[in-house]
Amino acid sequence: MHQPMNVNDYQRLALRSEAPQRTRNERLLNAALGLCGEAGEWADTLKKHVFHDHPLDTAALSKELGDILWYVAIACDALELEMSDVMAENIAKLRQRYPDGFSAERSLHRAE
């Protein structure tokens, strides 16, 4: 097991392996396409477990989640955002939407 990592440190370190010559739009498109591809690989690994009776490959799923995070880091940087700010915004949205935790009722009748 690795040491816990600060999300902004991760973002900074992930950017070391991004091609510096890419334009902002190229970085955004690379991130968008990469997220789709990696999410597909993650889903395919899970599909094989659920529908093809393969053992659950948590190592492969973890690797794909890492790849997804790399593309999130690239997208955040291209948008001049820190991952921690994006995460905090998301939690604030979820707290507003589900102040007492998830409920099907609130999910069915939410304003946004």
Side-chain angles (χ1 to χ4, degrees):
M1 181 81 87
H2 300 284
Q3 292 282 53
M5 178 175 279
N6 173 288
V7 68
N8 291 332
D9 289 342
Y10 173 85
Q11 183 177 354
R12 180 180 47 78
L13 292 168
L15 292 169
R16 293 179 62 235
S17 56
E18 166 65 338
Q21 75 279 6
R22 289 192 179 131
T23 67
R24 181 182 192 203
N25 284 344
E26 289 171 335
R27 292 169 69 214
L28 288 170
L29 183 57
N30 184 41
L33 296 173
L35 282 167
C36 291
E38 297 300 339
E41 290 182 32
W42 195 88
D44 191 56
T45 300
L46 190 57
K47 175 202 69 173
K48 288 176 182 175
H49 169 65
V50 173
F51 296 107
H52 301 173
D53 294 325
H54 290 211
L56 183 63
D57 191 344
T58 55
L61 290 169
S62 178
K63 178 182 167 283
E64 298 307 335
L65 286 173
D67 292 343
I68 289 166
L69 286 175
W70 188 87
Y71 284 108
V72 169
I74 298 308
C76 285
D77 186 66
L79 295 170
E80 299 179 358
L81 301 170
E82 288 192 342
M83 287 176 69
S84 62
D85 292 335
V86 172
M87 293 165 66
E89 259 182 52
N90 182 254
I91 292 299
K93 176 185 80 174
L94 292 172
R95 281 188 177 140
Q96 182 177 7
R97 189 175 289 168
Y98 304 109
D100 300 317
F102 177 80
S103 79
E105 180 66 24
R106 286 192 69 97
S107 177
L108 286 169
H109 300 101
R110 63 186 177 106
E112 187 280 336

